[in-house]
Amino acid sequence: MELRQLRTFEAVVAHRTVTDAANALGLAPSSVSEQIRALEASLGVPLFHRGPKGMRPTEAGERMREWARLLLRQAEEARREVTGEQPVLRLGALESIAATHVPRVLARLSGRRPGLRVEVRSDAARDRLLDAVAAGDLEAALLLDAGEDVGGLGFPPPAAPLDFVDVEPVPLALVAAPDHRLAGAPRLAAGDLRGERLLVNVPACSFWMAGERLLGSAVERVRAGSVTVMASWAEQGLGIALLPEFAVRDRLAAGTLARLAFDAPDLGLRLVWRADREALPGMREVLYAAGA
């Protein structure tokens, strides 16, 4: 049983397919398959059920999962202790919030733990960030969510013991061109928007999901693109857009966009991590800095 086999095993558990695990590890799929077979042969038991929808751990695989986490964590701690290397904490963040919210977390963290090195990885895809947290490639990730559990906004979380803290609310604004027919209306409900064109990005987008929850089938959805593109199209009267307030604050102040009087509950800026990795060096400081 080798450490590289355990890392590969964890990646397959997190990503559910050999191909996705290979992409995450930077290996060829054949190498991933070979390492999993070698690990199963050394243990004498199958670790995965293999099916058309991917791979899921057997009972033995679930037991191996806990041991793999423990052994890999101990190996990393031993390496740092022997080499005297300062710990590096890897933090992921959605691109839409990396520029606006991450600097404040890093500033607070620097004050609490000046010697801690933090690497930030931004990504447009929430699933990639969560899979990286589940696989141990990231210690934590900042994303947008809602509800009482990870994925309450409407996305499936990976099969891992994830925990979270809501850092701060992220207000949403339903915006339109200043001359829109509903601009200036005192109060709007979803029914008042029936037939409107809602500018959206992709179904995995947090703001698409928020719109699904709030507006349902009342509006027609028009693919536009990023937050910036949606705001620009709304300015030109091409539709309405449900966007984070911080992204359109300047346009609202300048009068190029109007905020419609529609009550949209806040999303939460949520820090997500693996509950079984809270003891990693620097992890608690990140939690304190994020929640300050």
Side-chain angles (χ1 to χ4, degrees), residues 24-284:
L25 294 169
L27 299 174
S30 58
S31 178
V32 170
S33 296
E34 180 183 348
Q35 289 187 42
I36 294 299
R37 285 196 299 269
L39 180 59
E40 289 177 321
S42 71
L43 295 169
V45 293
L47 297 175
F48 290 99
H49 297 292
R50 293 158 170 86
K53 294 185 178 181
M55 301 170 67
R56 58 185 179 85
T58 61
E59 287 188 19
E62 291 290 353
R63 293 192 294 271
M64 188 67 229
R65 192 177 187 177
E66 300 305 317
W67 280 106
R69 291 171 188 155
L70 176 62
L71 293 170
L72 289 171
R73 183 166 64 247
Q74 289 179 334
E76 179 61 22
E77 290 172 357
R79 186 185 65 78
R80 284 199 302 266
E81 176 68 24
V82 170
T83 62
E85 178 184 326
Q86 289 293 319
V88 177
L89 195 138
R90 300 157 299 177
L91 177 65
L94 284 176
E95 285 181 351
S96 58
I97 58 176
T100 54
H101 293 78
V102 172
R104 293 200 296 275
V105 173
L106 294 181
R108 292 195 293 260
L109 182 57
S110 177
R112 294 188 62 89
R113 184 82 175 271
L116 181 66
R117 292 170 52 206
V118 180
E119 294 179 356
V120 178
R121 182 195 307 174
S122 63
D123 200 313
R126 178 197 312 102
D127 290 348
R128 284 197 293 265
L129 290 175
L130 285 173
D131 285 345
V133 171
D137 297 328
L138 292 173
E139 274 66 64
L142 281 163
L143 46 85
L144 297 174
D145 201 358
E148 300 297 320
D149 300 294
V150 176
L153 185 58
F155 57 87
L162 299 179
D163 207 344
F164 70 90
V165 63
D166 282 331
V167 178
E168 60 185 77
V170 177
L172 297 177
L174 187 65
V175 298
D179 59 354
H180 190 276
R181 68 179 182 89
L182 296 175
R187 187 170 181 83
L188 299 172
D192 299 318
L193 301 170
R194 191 165 302 281
E196 290 291 332
R197 292 157 57 89
L198 180 68
L199 303 171
V200 294
N201 188 354
V202 294
C205 171
S206 302
F207 313 118
W208 175 305
M209 292 182 181
E212 286 287 314
R213 295 177 62 178
L214 293 171
L215 303 176
S217 61
V219 295
E220 173 192 357
R221 283 159 181 81
V222 177
R223 292 280 187 96
S226 67
V227 168
T228 301
V229 173
M230 286 187 275
S232 296
W233 282 29
E235 280 185 339
Q236 300 302 314
L238 299 177
I240 60 175
L242 184 65
L243 298 172
E245 185 183 79
F246 68 78
V248 293
R249 190 173 292 125
D250 291 346
R251 298 179 194 239
L252 292 172
T256 59
L257 276 177
R259 183 170 190 161
L260 302 183
F262 180 79
D263 186 18
D266 298 340
L267 295 183
L269 177 63
R270 184 165 284 183
L271 182 73
V272 181
W273 69 93
R274 279 184 64 136
D276 57 358
R277 291 172 65 86
E278 282 187 19
L280 288 176
M283 188 63 199
R284 291 203 178 272

